Amino acid sequence: LARLREEAHVRLRAYLDALPQGRLPRALLLMDRAVHTALVVDKYNHRLYVYERGDDGMPRLLRDLYVSTGRSSGNKNVSGDLRTPEGVYFITRHIPGSQLPDMYGYGAWPMNYPNEWDRHLGKTGHGIWLHGTEQIFYSRPPLDSEGCVVLPNIDLESITEYLHPGTTPIIVTDRVEWLEPNEWLAKRNGVMQAIEQWRQDWASSDVDAYLAHYSPNFWSRDHDHRSWTTYKQRVAKGKEWQQVKLSELSLFAYPRQAGNGDTMVVANFRQDYNSNNFRSNMRKRLYLVEEQGQWRIRYEGAQ
């Protein structure tokens, strides 16, 4: 009975604490047309918001649903802590309910926890999914999972068409940060301009200007800032010319608490690189952080 009261309380609170009219989620700064939809989870209010990319490029709300999260409050750090991770994640695949134990209900959509930032912080754990509820129950209490995001089966089935493995982001935050449209546009445009300047400086072969876009705390799979600088300076010596084209850009703002207080944005895009001695076409991911009023790259790697 106490757990039913808890669910009733958070459901009522979500209705009383209505979505701010005209405001936009900071998490969704830019959705490429290929992304179609994005999910934003508010752990405090136990809500899942489904957004699509509007004709004007702004996110447009499609659904607002109740969800259950981890039994323990706070951001996930280690395996078995029963917390739901906070950050920018992506759905990786779909597992039908017929292939799973009944506790997963209608089905499951695994998330890519731990992501690049989680692994950099040394976080552990796995098996964080968006999934349904046991068939004998309509829903689960607010804090009831081992770290997954859990929907009633009827709601999960209703949003299946919006879940696309490999492209659908799911941004999980303690509380959604809402922005006025003009503030949202300013933040989006600022990040886009920084990425475009990085592209131009890279293509210009001005290696010093290019490297100025990287944070002193930069890392990648094989490099830190020092080794990355040495590597890029060496590569630049063999370049007579180079072209860099970016397309299919999406920008997702990282939850502030999960970013250790930094203002951080995850950028996904397709990169077409061509030079006198090398050519590549790849999906790339950047983590950008705002440092002293400038956007700098904290992480760079293939998707």
Side-chain angles (χ1 to χ4, degrees):
L1 184 59
R3 302 182 88 187
L4 286 172
R5 286 197 182 105
E6 290 173 6
E7 181 177 339
H9 175 73
V10 299
R11 284 179 177 270
L12 181 59
R13 184 176 65 196
Y15 284 113
L16 295 176
D17 187 17
L19 289 174
Q21 293 296 317
R23 293 189 178 184
L24 302 170
R26 172 180 169 270
L28 305 179
L29 291 177
L30 180 63
M31 296 166 59
D32 180 67
R33 294 183 185 278
V35 173
H36 301 298
T37 52
L39 312 180
V40 180
V41 176
D42 185 319
K43 290 170 61 176
Y44 174 77
N45 285 311
H46 292 274
R47 306 304 293 180
L48 181 146
Y49 305 109
V50 182
Y51 280 90
E52 70 174 355
R53 184 185 188 277
D55 293 336
D56 57 1
M58 293 184 173
R60 186 172 72 89
L61 183 65
L62 293 174
R63 300 295 304 275
D64 172 3
L65 304 167
Y66 166 79
V67 293
S68 302
T69 56
R71 293 172 199 160
S72 298
S73 60
N75 192 4
K76 187 172 187 63
N77 286 303
V78 298
S79 178
D81 64 9
L82 303 180
R83 293 172 174 170
T84 299
E86 299 167 17
V88 175
Y89 301 101
F90 297 89
I91 291 173
T92 60
R93 59 193 176 110
H94 171 224
I95 309 174
S98 59
Q99 299 177 15
L100 292 166
D102 184 57
M103 66 174 291
Y104 297 102
Y106 178 73
W109 282 260
M111 298 154 51
N112 70 323
Y113 174 87
N115 63 21
E116 298 88 353
W117 179 240
D118 296 324
R119 292 195 296 271
H120 183 64
L121 295 178
K123 295 189 176 186
T124 59
H126 64 281
I128 302 298
W129 296 357
L130 174 72
H131 67 78
T133 307
E134 296 94 326
Q135 297 295 337
I136 62 171
F137 299 122
Y138 175 79
S139 61
R140 289 169 64 170
L143 301 173
D144 194 56
S145 80
E146 295 183 357
C148 294
V149 177
V150 183
L151 281 156
N153 289 323
I154 190 171
D155 290 337
L156 184 58
E157 185 176 5
S158 74
I159 65 169
T160 297
E161 63 179 300
Y162 305 126
L163 306 178
H164 304 284
T167 60
T168 301
I170 175 167
I171 296 90
V172 185
T173 182
D174 178 56
R175 296 192 73 165
V176 174
E177 183 178 346
W178 305 99
L179 302 177
E180 296 290 348
N182 59 343
E183 186 180 7
W184 180 89
L185 281 168
K187 290 187 179 296
R188 184 194 71 173
N189 292 341
V191 181
M192 291 178 67
Q193 289 169 8
I195 292 174
E196 172 58 18
Q197 190 61 55
W198 166 75
R199 185 200 67 79
Q200 291 181 19
D201 288 339
W202 187 5
S204 73
S205 297
D206 184 339
V207 68
D208 291 332
Y210 165 73
L211 288 171
H213 290 276
Y214 289 84
S215 166
N217 297 316
F218 171 81
W219 94 97
S220 68
R221 187 180 65 178
D222 302 315
H223 294 281
D224 59 14
H225 185 267
R226 177 177 293 182
S227 65
W228 180 258
T229 298
T230 301
Y231 165 67
K232 285 297 183 177
Q233 288 173 337
R234 184 177 70 250
V235 169
K237 294 178 181 179
K239 300 299 179 183
E240 299 173 3
W241 59 269
Q242 51 190 352
Q243 298 174 336
V244 184
K245 296 180 180 179
L246 308 181
S247 60
E248 302 175 25
L249 176 65
S250 291
L251 301 172
F252 307 109
Y254 219 85
R256 294 185 192 275
Q257 287 183 317
N260 285 356
D262 288 334
T263 301
M264 192 159 63
V265 169
V266 177
N268 285 351
F269 53 88
R270 180 170 296 280
Q271 174 185 291
D272 186 4
Y273 175 86
N274 192 19
S275 73
N276 58 290
N277 57 8
F278 184 72
R279 182 169 187 172
S280 69
N281 187 290
M282 63 185 297
R283 298 287 309 176
K284 180 169 278 190
R285 178 168 297 151
L286 302 180
Y287 283 61
L288 299 105
V289 64
E290 196 170 25
E291 297 177 339
Q292 299 177 337
Q294 301 292 323
W295 286 102
R296 291 191 171 88
I297 299 169
R298 177 75 60 84
Y299 165 86
E300 179 175 337
Q303 290 186 37

